[in-house]
Amino acid sequence: MAMTMHVDIVSAEGAIFSGTVEMVFAPAAGGEVGILPRHTPMLTPLKAGEVRVQLPDGEEQHIYVSGGILEVQPHVVTVLADTAVRAKDLDEAKALQAKERAEQLLKDRKGDIDYAKAEAELAEAVAQLRTIQSLRKKHKI
């Protein structure tokens, strides 16, 4: 029997996932991390991207997070996300519009725009699109 751990993924809007898993992949600030049961305790910031959890039955859940904190204990992993959305619920059209809008703001460089905010919006839109593409590849949508 495979070893498992408990995972909670929560945001300000509420809990999006809580359950037993075999492995978690998360977009840590320093790069993607893979967490197995009995992992060394760790606390790291997350960047916008996809959190994947592998369930004991082999199924994978894909969840987009806009950033946050990953806390790892030997048998419990907690993702405290700024925003968390199941990948299947992401709106590709909105993400494309947000990406184009942020790219245009950065390209024009006119007026009183907040470049850091535009860059953050661009990074978030790109991360959402990557999450959608990853889900499509897995499920051949």
Side-chain angles (χ1 to χ4, degrees):
M1 181 176 193
M3 291 183 38
T4 60
M5 61 189 160
H6 183 81
V7 174
D8 288 312
I9 302 174
V10 298
S11 72
E13 293 86 28
I16 192 157
F17 179 88
S18 182
T20 302
V21 306
E22 290 183 348
M23 190 165 188
V24 177
F25 298 93
E32 185 175 60
V33 295
I35 309 296
L36 290 165
R38 299 169 69 181
H39 192 283
T40 301
M42 174 174 72
L43 186 65
T44 186
L46 294 173
K47 61 184 178 181
E50 176 185 25
V51 173
R52 294 185 339 263
V53 293
Q54 289 182 343
L55 303 176
D57 65 3
E59 181 188 348
E60 275 194 2
Q61 295 278 322
H62 302 259
I63 299 163
Y64 166 79
V65 296
S66 63
I69 299 289
L70 172 70
E71 179 187 21
V72 179
Q73 294 297 323
H75 297 287
V76 178
V77 174
T78 304
V79 174
L80 301 172
D82 298 330
T83 300
V85 179
R86 292 190 184 279
K88 65 182 180 180
D89 296 334
L90 287 172
D91 186 330
E92 186 173 16
K94 280 186 181 179
L96 283 169
Q97 287 175 346
K99 177 181 178 274
E100 290 168 4
R101 186 175 50 251
E103 287 174 337
Q104 192 62 44
L105 282 172
L106 291 169
K107 182 180 175 184
D108 289 346
R109 296 199 179 264
K110 295 179 186 173
D112 293 333
I113 68 164
D114 183 343
Y115 291 102
K117 184 177 179 185
E119 287 175 347
E121 288 175 6
L122 177 60
E124 190 170 322
V126 167
Q128 286 183 13
L129 292 169
R130 284 186 182 145
T131 301
I132 292 167
Q133 290 169 352
S134 173
L135 186 62
R136 278 194 182 134
K137 285 180 187 176
K138 287 277 185 198
H139 298 284
K140 295 182 174 67
I141 296 173

